[in-house]
Amino acid sequence: MTTSSRQDDIVRVLLDQYHELSRQTESEWVSATDVAEVLQVDRTTAFRALHDMTGDGLVEARGNTRNRRYRLDCNSEPFIRWELSQPPATRALSPYNPAVLQAYEPNVTRWLSPEQAKAL
């Protein structure tokens, strides 16, 4: 899946502005109008890009017509591919948790859940 620069901008808006938009809307779901205002583009332009991104599996949608709301599907394969296509310096940092390493016991504990191991 290749994203356009507008779609990249929308993903960044949904990532970077997540807390601001969710605080304003009191939800993790945002409308095309919310995205259009942040990007300073026409609502129809934002809607079309969000519609394409929904079809690609990058964004989840609920509701219909003007009540339709969107959010990133951060566990989807398209999102992971998108994130890995970005330069490393622009990706979100993953915090280091020393407790994970300290709790690990070789040949006793596992890094992956049985579902994750099966998927791999």
Side-chain angles (χ1 to χ4, degrees), residues 37-55:
E37 287 174 4
V38 172
L39 290 178
Q40 298 179 347
V41 297
D42 185 61
R43 182 191 174 283
T44 304
T45 302
F47 173 78
R48 286 182 183 144
L50 286 163
H51 178 75
D52 291 345
M53 294 166 69
T54 302

